[in-house]
Amino acid sequence: MNNFKQISLAAAILCCATSGSVFAQAAQPAQVVPIFDYNPSWYIAPTVNGMYPDTGFGVEQHGEGGGLRLGKPISESWDIQLGTSYARARNNGTTYQQNLLGVDALYMFSRDTFRPFLLVGAGAQEDRLSSSVAGTSGYAPYVNAGLGFQVSLNDQWSLQADFRRVHGYLRDNDFSISRNSNNYLMVGINYAFDKSPTRPVAVAPTPEPAPIIAVITPPPAPTPPPAPRFEKISLSSTELFSFDKSDLKMPQPKLDEIAAALNKNTQVNNVVISGYTDRIGSDKYNQKLSERRANAVKDYLVGKGIDAGRLSAVGKGKSDPVVVCTQTKRPALIDCLEPNRRVEVEQITIEQRVN
């Protein structure tokens, strides 16, 4: 009788947790998703520059300057940027200046929060070299190549930094060199004129779970074992882990109740522990985080005496969200997406006798 009471109490707790998860999902009649996986809006990109000039100009000190570019994503993998930049270096009374006007193509390796890229470009350059006794200037075409990254701050703002080498072809001029290679470090901020367009997508409501009915039979007449019941327990990630972490908080009373029920009912097998994350971050990172969280719950139950062969842990990343959020500020978005960060323990078969 005592064993039965303990099993009944654990089953009631698990059913309540499951019902709360279902009701939260059914309360969302529709969701809004981006039309593109990236923001296709034009953006403006002011920069500050550091220049390391070619030694052939006789100016060995680094210089500084600024620039302004206009950019646009044209596909999932490519951005274009066109604009101008200026830099100046001085050394022992000699001043070297360079103006660049051109267009760059950026190959984006990712459209997540952190977006590394390679760039190639071409354009026209103006070089000026002056001192207290003479001055020289000239125009030439150039090509450049480099690498850099963007970091998204929100839907419209992002940071950009890149290192590039500008190779100019100096022809028919008064400089002592016919070619030059200047190195630039450019850091700036990008502002998109529009937010990424979205469209509503209907979500079918989730049906309520079927009620569990206990069949009462008077003892001591023998009764056949009841049909197995498959139950799903949804545990809030906030109760289990800190944000973006996979180490369990302590204590864990709900996991202790599940462990006690499994220890009392050794016939319960094939228990699947599924870890989920929210949509913040890359798919690869979220998949790994959900696997670590599921394994953390499994290891906890094993530590309570449960045979590891009865348990399996899987990570499902940011799939199957129970809520959809459109907040633009990161703290509010993290709070809204809390129900998506969860661990589900499912396919538990519990045989019980009700007196």
Side-chain angles (χ1 to χ4, degrees):
M1 177 66 71
N2 291 334
N3 290 345
F4 163 69
K5 289 182 178 179
Q6 292 178 359
I7 296 171
S8 298
L9 177 59
I13 294 173
L14 302 184
C15 290
C16 291
T18 303
S19 299
S21 174
V22 171
F23 293 154
Q25 183 175 4
Q28 298 294 327
Q31 63 181 355
V32 178
V33 299
I35 295 176
F36 300 94
D37 291 332
Y38 58 93
N39 188 349
S41 169
W42 283 92
Y43 59 86
I44 191 170
T47 63
V48 292
N49 309 329
M51 177 184 68
Y52 300 85
D54 194 308
T55 56
F57 290 110
V59 180
E60 298 181 357
Q61 299 293 327
H62 67 80
E64 59 280 328
L68 183 65
R69 294 180 177 274
L70 186 66
K72 188 180 191 310
I74 59 175
S75 72
E76 177 68 20
S77 301
W78 290 96
D79 273 23
I80 57 169
Q81 294 183 355
L82 59 154
T84 181
S85 60
Y86 166 83
R88 178 178 63 183
R90 294 175 176 174
N91 185 31
N92 297 326
T94 300
T95 300
Y96 169 65
Q97 303 175 70
Q98 185 175 64
N99 289 284
L100 301 175
L101 178 64
V103 61
D104 298 320
L106 281 60
Y107 179 76
M108 315 298 295
F109 290 98
S110 170
R111 289 293 184 180
D112 293 330
T113 301
F114 180 75
R115 305 191 288 264
F117 62 80
L118 295 176
L119 70 88
V120 292
Q125 69 182 49
E126 178 189 17
D127 299 281
R128 292 180 178 272
L129 191 63
S130 60
S131 65
S132 58
V133 296
T136 302
S137 65
Y139 298 88
Y142 77 84
V143 294
N144 67 186
L147 53 87
F149 63 87
Q150 295 177 354
V151 178
S152 176
L153 303 179
N154 56 40
D155 285 347
Q156 292 181 274
W157 293 93
S158 62
L159 297 176
Q160 178 174 319
D162 65 73
F163 179 82
R164 64 184 67 196
R165 188 173 182 86
V166 179
H167 189 74
Y169 298 87
L170 307 176
R171 302 289 185 182
D172 301 325
N173 57 70
D174 295 330
F175 296 109
S176 59
I177 57 177
S178 61
R179 298 181 180 180
N180 74 290
S181 296
N182 293 346
N183 295 322
Y184 279 86
L185 177 62
M186 298 186 177
V187 179
I189 188 165
N190 302 347
Y191 174 73
F193 296 112
D194 300 305
K195 294 183 178 180
S196 182
T198 58
R199 62 186 171 206
V201 177
V203 177
T206 302
E208 296 185 7
I212 299 174
I213 301 175
V215 179
I216 301 176
T217 56
T223 57
R229 292 206 309 268
F230 296 92
E231 301 173 337
K232 181 191 294 181
I233 309 100
S234 182
L235 304 175
S236 169
S237 178
T238 304
E239 299 175 21
L240 300 177
F241 311 98
S242 299
F243 180 72
D244 199 30
K245 302 296 183 182
S246 58
D247 297 324
L248 281 170
K249 297 178 180 178
M250 293 297 169
Q252 288 294 331
K254 288 187 178 180
L255 292 182
D256 291 341
E257 292 173 358
I258 294 174
L262 292 175
N263 277 320
K264 291 291 184 180
N265 298 268
T266 57
Q267 77 278 9
V268 177
N269 293 299
N270 301 323
V271 179
V272 180
I273 303 169
S274 303
Y276 295 84
T277 67
D278 58 29
R279 63 179 173 82
I280 299 176
S282 67
D283 292 347
K284 181 178 180 180
Y285 180 85
N286 283 332
Q287 179 62 31
K288 294 295 184 182
L289 177 59
S290 66
E291 292 172 0
R292 293 197 302 271
R293 287 180 169 177
N295 281 305
V297 173
K298 176 182 177 181
D299 293 341
Y300 184 93
L301 295 177
V302 171
K304 293 295 182 178
I306 308 303
D307 185 355
R310 300 167 64 190
L311 310 173
S312 61
V314 295
K316 297 189 178 182
K318 61 184 180 181
S319 64
D320 301 327
V322 296
V323 295
V324 176
C325 304
T326 59
Q327 286 80 355
T328 58
K329 295 186 178 298
R330 186 178 179 87
L333 180 62
I334 291 174
D335 290 342
C336 178
L337 292 173
E338 177 182 332
N340 292 343
R341 303 187 293 272
R342 66 196 189 277
V343 174
E344 294 181 349
V345 184
E346 57 187 328
Q347 289 186 323
I348 297 181
T349 304
I350 298 179
E351 295 182 2
Q352 62 180 15
R353 185 187 306 274
V354 180
N355 293 328

